[in-house]
């Protein structure tokens, strides 16, 4: 006997988008505060800033990337858990992975 696959509610896509947007905004704010604490500067180096060295640019990019990845993963997991609790259906596919 095959078990009927439950359909995920259509509302998860907008919820996921909203959570991603909010998490990205919070990660950006966290990065600004982190960079200010590390370098006492308001602006992080841009890759095309001639006056900044390779190390400074790459360290800033690594910190920013880590913060964004953590924020996105936390938002995705929180959203998926909330959807599962409400509907009984996990929003990801069986094979896992993002996108």
């Amino acid at each position: 006997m095959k078990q009927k696959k439950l359909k995920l509610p259509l509302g998860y896509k907008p919820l996921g988008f909203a959570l991603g947007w909010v998490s990205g905004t919070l990660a950006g704010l966290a990065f600004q505060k982190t960079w200010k604490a590390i370098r006492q500067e308001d602006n992080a180096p841009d890759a095309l800033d001639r006056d900044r060295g390779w190390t400074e640019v790459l360290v800033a990019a690594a910190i920013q990337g880590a913060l964004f990845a953590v924020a996105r993963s936390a938002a995705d997991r929180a959203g998926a858990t909330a959807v599962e609790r409400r509907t009984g259906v996990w929003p990801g596919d069986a094979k896992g992975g993002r996108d």
Side-chain angles (χ1 to χ4, degrees), residues 9-89:
L10 185 61
Y12 181 71
K13 289 285 185 184
L15 174 66
F17 177 77
L19 287 172
W21 184 79
V22 169
S23 70
T25 301
L26 292 175
L29 293 171
F31 174 67
Q32 287 177 342
K33 289 192 178 288
T34 301
W35 190 254
K36 186 162 181 119
I38 292 171
R39 296 286 300 194
Q40 289 76 42
E41 297 175 352
D42 288 329
N43 296 320
D46 182 69
L48 299 178
D49 189 347
R50 183 181 288 251
D51 299 329
R52 307 289 184 119
W54 276 86
T55 303
E56 187 177 12
V57 169
L58 296 179
V59 166
I63 293 168
Q64 186 176 28
L67 288 171
F68 273 89
V70 167
R72 181 174 178 186
S73 293
D76 285 349
R77 190 66 181 200
T81 302
V83 166
E84 183 183 38
R85 284 184 185 153
R86 181 122 173 120
T87 66
V89 179

